Amino acid sequence: MPVTTVEKDLDKLTITIVADFAAPLRRLWDAYTDPRQIERFWGPPTYPATFMRHDAASGGRSVYKMTGPSGDEHYGCWRWESVIPTESFEVIDSFADASGVPNTDLPATRMTFTFEATDSGSRVTSIASFGSLEQLEQLVEMGMLEGTKEAMSQIDTVLADLAAFAAERAADAQLLSDTQVRVARIIHGPIDEVWRAHNDAALMQQWLLGPEGWTMPVCEVAAAVGESYRYVWEPVGGGEGFGFTGELLESEPPYRAVTTEAMIGTDFPATLNELTLTPVEAGTLLSLVITYANVEQRDAILATGMTGGMETSYARLEGLIGQGVRA
């Protein structure tokens, strides 16, 4: 059990939990800021978590659900108040509905996480602050303390699993729900360069090509929220091409962009694409959550080899960043 101390202070209305790990500080920090990792320990073993959004930046949001043994789902969300990389972050943790909207009928908790290196590895100190004694007691009665200790007991296993989150892994797709898929990959390069490569048309035309043998003659980028983009690909030597268009709904450089995406010339339902970039030890974690209209559309698109094509493009992008290419 990594939890070393638990202190409940009724005067300060706080619960402080200290946990120690035999892992480097950066490894522990990345486990909390990588959605693929935190969802493996945020919920207790009987209520595993799934993170549909995890911004890990000041002003950002996280949305997660915990699924019980009978399939019951319980949603929560974070509002990121502050982030000091590898040192601390503070969030407001709230109960939420399925769309991630906070439930104001239940108490919210201010959570402060502080990370530090120790002689044997690293330590995280979490302080939960409550608005009143009644709120503290209500959440304790709901099992918050026991659930938190059970959840943190899983972190050692996540920290030891280097292969599942290795920087050399190819892009992979994880099913989050019947309509959502998350594609994740670490790009060896700084976050500013990865963001620029997604917003500079000349750079995009060099890497966003999928398998060999295609060109991108049309790359009209949406520069501001509310603008539309248009991308068209054609095979080398001529032939029938295809394209996508959509609208930029959100943009928070260099961390997050949300767009719609519809195939040009078809009546297929548009998808919602949520791109999140997170600095990690090996570079930048790229996380793309795609929401489809239904499970049939999700499975049909995955069956096209979408993930393999994305991996080819991301490998090409990584090569461009590594060469210091400029548009």
Side-chain angles (χ1 to χ4, degrees), residues 8-28:
K8 183 163 58 175
D9 190 322
L10 299 183
D11 293 325
K12 295 182 179 180
L13 302 177
T14 60
I15 294 177
T16 302
I17 298 177
V18 178
D20 289 280
F21 303 93
L25 172 62
R26 185 60 197 245
R27 179 76 186 91
L28 180 61

Side-chain angles (χ1 to χ4, degrees), residues 26-185:
R26 185 60 197 245
R27 179 76 186 91
L28 180 61
W29 173 267
D30 286 350
Y32 272 86
T33 56
D34 180 342
R36 304 169 302 166
Q37 298 186 55
I38 191 173
E39 66 186 11
R40 289 178 52 173
F41 65 80
W42 183 249
T46 54
Y47 279 84
T50 301
F51 275 72
M52 287 74 70
R53 176 174 177 175
H54 195 50
D55 291 352
S58 297
R61 295 186 67 240
S62 296
V63 178
Y64 63 91
K65 67 177 178 181
M66 292 188 288
T67 305
S70 61
D72 50 308
E73 296 179 340
H74 307 269
Y75 289 83
C77 64
W78 289 0
R79 185 176 76 240
W80 290 74
E81 300 289 282
S82 64
V83 180
I84 303 176
T86 73
E87 294 184 16
S88 67
F89 67 84
E90 185 173 86
V91 299
I92 304 298
D93 185 19
S94 303
F95 293 89
D97 63 18
S99 61
V101 176
N103 182 348
T104 56
D105 292 332
L106 292 171
T109 307
R110 180 176 294 273
M111 302 287 296
T112 303
F113 296 84
T114 303
F115 299 77
E116 58 184 309
T118 64
D119 292 340
S120 58
S122 55
R123 171 179 297 155
V124 60
T125 301
S126 67
I127 301 176
S129 302
F130 304 89
S132 67
L133 181 59
E134 291 73 23
Q135 289 183 358
L136 187 157
E137 292 176 338
Q138 180 183 1
L139 288 174
V140 169
E141 289 174 2
M142 293 172 67
M144 172 188 173
L145 199 52
E146 291 77 9
T148 299
K149 289 190 289 186
E150 288 180 4
M152 296 185 77
S153 70
Q154 304 169 108
I155 300 180
D156 273 333
T157 301
V158 176
L159 295 177
D161 186 1
L162 298 177
F165 312 106
E168 306 307 321
R169 280 178 61 96
D172 56 17
Q174 177 185 349
L175 303 182
L176 301 182
S177 70
D178 285 346
T179 59
Q180 286 187 311
V181 172
R182 180 173 63 218
V183 178
R185 189 191 195 276

Side-chain angles (χ1 to χ4, degrees), residues 248-307:
L248 179 61
L249 303 180
E250 298 179 32
S251 181
E252 297 292 339
Y255 300 105
R256 179 174 170 83
V258 181
T259 60
T260 59
E261 181 180 273
M263 181 172 280
I264 297 171
T266 72
D267 57 0
F268 299 148
T271 63
L272 182 71
N273 296 354
E274 301 176 75
L275 174 70
T276 302
L277 302 180
T278 304
V280 294
E281 184 173 18
T284 301
L285 172 65
L286 181 152
S287 176
L288 179 65
V289 176
I290 307 171
T291 303
Y292 299 95
N294 49 56
V295 66
E296 290 79 16
Q297 184 191 23
R298 182 202 71 181
D299 291 346
I301 292 180
L302 288 177
T304 65
M306 176 194 76
T307 308

